Each structure stands twice: as structure tokens, then as C-alpha cells.
Amino acid sequence: MLVTNIGRVTPIRKAERTRERLAEHALDLFETQGYEATTVAQIAAAAGVTEMTFFRHFRTKEAVVLTDPYDPVIAAGIRRRPLDEPPLHRAVRGLRETFAQLPEPDVDMVRRRVRLIARTPVLRAAVTRHNDVTESAIADALAGPEEDALAARVSAAVVLAALTVGLYAWAEHAEGSLGEFIERALAVLEPDHA
Amino acid sequence: MLVTNIGRVTPIRKAERTRERLAEHALDLFETQGYEATTVAQIAAAAGVTEMTFFRHFRTKEAVVLTDPYDPVIAAGIRRRPLDEPPLHRAVRGLRETFAQLPEPDVDMVRRRVRLIARTPVLRAAVTRHNDVTESAIADALAGPEEDALAARVSAAVVLAALTVGLYAWAEHAEGSLGEFIERALAVLEPDHA
DNA sequence: CGTCCAATGTTAGTCACTAACATTCGGTTG
DNA sequence: CAACCGAATGTTAGTGACTAACATTGGACG
């Protein structure tokens, strides 16, 4: 029972390939025609597949572009900061340390995706919606026993906002690493940083 | 020609009444059934009107709840701050002054609306989308001649994020004025404020 | 080689939203 | 006051994102 499905590699791979094909064609079409002008039917057709199949692989049209690989790690990084710092500083420094350890992404695809998002209002809004859960996680990580809940939520929101702006700016500018842009964005919140 | 339409009061009033009826019934339905579970057809029916008429008065379903009366004033307030302050301080202080002069809103309706928004992810996202233009306006107001553009954008984003959190917190808490909540939210960004 | 299940297809429907055209209703004007 | 005109609303038909129920294929495994 435990090992039964080990050999069954191909069907899984097939689904993954379809998924990737969909994502690639989607990105291409979005970039050439614009996100809203592109129809799910078009993407599906380009990938040689039905509309239905598209929605089997991605719950929404947005989901083809939106992958948040970092979100889970962030809150953990913040918890590691000492509790005696004010919430905003804990958030900023926690984020900084987290991203310092993360590897730079495969610049090609990620940058195309982020740039598309940065230029498409609906997608930016979708990112915000996704960030809501991360924001809550950060706020929880910040909220000490007798801590000001409002301050925690503001700090969380503000740090994520800065991070997002840095990310978008990086995607547009083509010179400079993600790390640099994030660092510059966070520095605005903590100017007195050695 | 200039004065011709002065007497034509009733048709305009009629449209306004319809609009208000739609908004009221929409809010009621949203609060009882939830935003997404409520259909535009239901709202229209409740207001004794066709779906089509709904969309004549509100461009989208979201628009019934989203009215941003403050957005235009904000950037102007920031421009009044001296240019030698760092962008984040200009933004925070500009906002603070702007809201200090603004009247407290009719607490009833506004609070219901904001609370609904705060609790509905799609609506929060929509607010963010709306804020994009305000954010650009603030960023422009902050960007001095040789100023750091990234810092300006981060400051704008961050200040709006704080403001929004304050607004949502106010809508949920029922004790305390809007001004207090906004002040507490902004204070997180500028702890060393006399 | 036939079985089984993942992967995909088909059909039919809901809901937000758009466009083109038809209608009502009330105040203005002759 | 009656014909008129335009704002306000209705009707119809369609698109696009998404869902649900059911049918089909195709390849790995026994």
C-alpha cells in the first residue's frame, strides 16, 4: 500500500507538463495582448486543451500568474527577533534577515511575472488579497502578550506594502538584484539603520 | 440656454433616489447574506428595479459600497509640508494635518460600509485598487526634484497602508473616533512624535 | 491484454457585466 | 392642455469567468 504508486510516474508528470504549458502560454498571451483582453479559452486553446482543464489546474485566471513562494517563511523570520524591540523594527529586521538568506530567484520567469502583475491593476489587487493571510500571520507574530494589537497590524501591513513596492520596482528596473531593492524599500521604514 | 434646465429638478431627484435605494438595499443584503452570496439581481429586485438599472447607477457591484470621499484631498495636504523633511515624515505629517481638519463622518452609514469592506476580502482588494491612483498622487507629491523615487513610492504605499488599517480598526471597534484611530495608526510610522 | 484511475472532455448552468434598441414618465413649451 | 422631449428605466441578446455532474480516454500495472 505504501509503495504502490511509486512506479506511477507518467500520469503525474503529464499533468505537470500540461500545467506548465498552460502557465507559459498564459504569460505569453498576457504580455502580448494584455491580461484582461486574454481569455481563458484562448490560453486553453494555445495549450491544446479545454477551458475546463485550465480550471482544473488553476482555480482562477489570476492563479496562473500568482505564485507566492515566500509568504510562508516570512512570519517565522519575524518571530526570531527579540521581543523588546518595537513592533515595526521587529517586522523590518525580521524581513530583512529572512530575505538575506533566501536565494535570488530565477530572474527570467519571475521578473516577467512580477512585471506583468505590477502593470495590471486587477493582479495587483489580487496580490493584496493573497497578502492578507501573510499580513495576519505577521501581525500575530508581532503581537506580544500585552502588545498593542493595532500597532502590530499596522506594522505588518506597512512592512508588506514596502516589500511589495520594492518587488514591483525591481521587476521594472532590470538593473540591481531583488535583495538590493528590498533593502532600499525597507530602509525607508528604518532610516537610522547602521 | 444657460438657465433652461433650472426647473428640471424632479428627474434628477428621481435618479438620485433610485441610486440611494439601491445602495441601501445592497448594504442590507450584503450584511445579512454576505457580499458574494448577494446577487445584483437581488439588489435590483429589492429596490424595485431592473438589473440593468443597477449598472446604470453603479459601474460594478463593488461600487455600491466603495465611495472614497477623502482620496482627492490627501495629496494636496502632503504638498504643503516643507520639502526638507524626509519623504516618510512629509507623508505622515501631511496626512495627519489633512485628517485633523476633516469633519468626522456620519458615523452610521460609513461605519457599516467600512466594516463590510474590512470583512470582505474582495472588497478590501478593490479598495487597494482604488488606492493605486491616490498612491501615485502621493508619490508624485513626495518626489522632489532630485528625490529618491523608490523612497517616495514606498512612503506613499506605507502611509496609505497604515491609514487603511486604522480605518478598518475604527470600523470594527465602535469606541473611539476615526481621528484617534488614524492618529494611532500613523504614530507607528513616527514614534518620536511630540 | 484487460483493468483501473488519473487526466481530460462535454454539457449545461450561474453571475457579473456590456451593447443596441425600445419604452415610460414627467416637466416644458406652444 | 396637449404634443413633445429627454431623462430614467426596461428588454433582449451576448461575452467571459467560473461550477457541477457526468462521460471518455489513455497509459501503467497486474
Side-chain angles (χ1 to χ4, degrees):
Chain A
M1 198 68 134
L2 240 170
V3 228
T4 305
N5 284 14
I6 277 215
R8 191 177 310 246
V9 201
T10 314
I12 299 179
R13 287 238 179 97
K14 187 186 181 187
E16 266 174 19
R17 274 204 311 267
T18 309
R19 189 188 163 89
E20 280 171 21
R21 246 167 37 226
L22 282 167
E24 289 166 10
H25 286 287
L27 192 51
D28 286 347
L29 288 169
F30 289 162
E31 285 177 341
T32 58
Q33 311 183 349
Y35 174 80
E36 321 221 25
T38 302
T39 216
V40 171
Q42 290 176 16
I43 303 174
V49 129
T50 311
E51 222 184 308
M52 194 61 245
T53 299
F54 175 93
F55 286 109
R56 286 227 179 73
H57 288 278
F58 303 97
R59 282 184 52 199
T60 66
K61 185 184 170 185
E62 307 164 346
V64 201
V65 200
L66 302 182
T67 13
D68 291 340
Y70 300 143
D71 276 26
V73 228
I74 293 183
I78 291 176
R79 268 184 230 279
R80 278 194 282 275
R81 296 295 311 177
L83 275 159
D84 57 338
E85 297 175 331
L88 184 59
H89 281 189
R90 284 189 73 206
V92 171
R93 289 171 191 161
L95 258 193
R96 207 185 334 249
E97 292 175 4
T98 303
F99 274 85
Q101 295 170 357
L102 248 48
E104 285 282 318
D106 301 346
V107 190
D108 44 335
M109 275 297 167
V110 179
R111 191 174 242 143
R112 282 175 70 197
R113 265 203 274 262
V114 175
R115 199 167 43 202
L116 178 69
I117 296 172
R119 293 174 179 174
T120 311
V122 209
L123 291 177
R124 298 173 61 135
V127 166
T128 308
R129 215 172 49 222
H130 279 236
N131 278 351
D132 273 358
V133 7
T134 308
E135 190 175 317
S136 298
I138 297 181
D140 290 346
L142 287 176
E146 280 303 322
E147 208 59 64
D148 182 359
L150 181 58
R153 283 174 59 190
V154 172
S155 302
V158 145
V159 157
L160 267 187
L163 193 72
T164 306
V165 172
L167 191 67
Y168 291 164
W170 164 76
E172 298 281 14
H173 274 303
E175 344 85 34
S177 69
L178 217 198
E180 294 177 30
F181 273 88
I182 291 182
E183 178 48 43
R184 286 176 56 199
L186 290 180
V188 175
L189 291 174
E190 201 190 37
D192 52 326
H193 179 248
Chain B
M1 197 69 135
L2 241 169
V3 230
T4 305
N5 282 18
I6 279 216
R8 189 179 310 249
V9 201
T10 315
I12 298 181
R13 286 236 180 97
K14 187 186 181 189
E16 266 175 18
R17 276 203 310 268
T18 310
R19 188 189 164 89
E20 280 171 19
R21 248 169 34 226
L22 281 168
E24 288 166 10
H25 287 286
L27 193 51
D28 286 345
L29 288 169
F30 289 162
E31 285 177 341
T32 57
Q33 312 182 351
Y35 174 79
E36 321 219 27
T38 303
T39 214
V40 171
Q42 290 177 15
I43 304 173
V49 127
T50 312
E51 222 184 308
M52 195 61 244
T53 299
F54 175 93
F55 286 109
R56 286 228 179 71
H57 288 279
F58 303 96
R59 281 184 52 197
T60 66
K61 185 182 170 187
E62 307 164 347
V64 201
V65 199
L66 301 182
T67 12
D68 291 340
Y70 299 142
D71 276 26
V73 227
I74 292 182
I78 291 176
R79 270 182 226 281
R80 278 194 282 275
R81 295 296 310 178
L83 275 159
D84 59 337
E85 296 176 332
L88 184 59
H89 281 189
R90 285 190 72 205
V92 171
R93 289 171 191 163
L95 257 194
R96 197 168 4 230
E97 291 176 5
T98 303
F99 273 84
Q101 295 171 357
L102 248 48
E104 286 280 319
D106 300 346
V107 191
D108 43 337
M109 276 296 168
V110 180
R111 192 175 241 142
R112 281 174 70 197
R113 266 203 274 263
V114 176
R115 198 166 43 201
L116 178 69
I117 296 172
R119 292 174 180 175
T120 310
V122 209
L123 290 178
R124 299 173 62 136
V127 167
T128 307
R129 217 171 47 222
H130 279 234
N131 277 351
D132 272 0
V133 6
T134 308
E135 190 175 316
S136 298
I138 297 182
D140 290 346
L142 286 176
E146 280 304 320
E147 208 60 62
D148 182 0
L150 181 58
R153 284 174 59 189
V154 172
S155 302
V158 145
V159 158
L160 267 187
L163 193 73
T164 305
V165 171
L167 191 67
Y168 291 163
W170 165 77
E172 298 281 15
H173 275 301
E175 343 87 34
S177 68
L178 217 199
E180 294 176 33
F181 274 89
I182 290 181
E183 178 48 43
R184 286 176 56 200
L186 290 179
V188 176
L189 291 174
E190 201 191 37
D192 51 327
H193 178 248

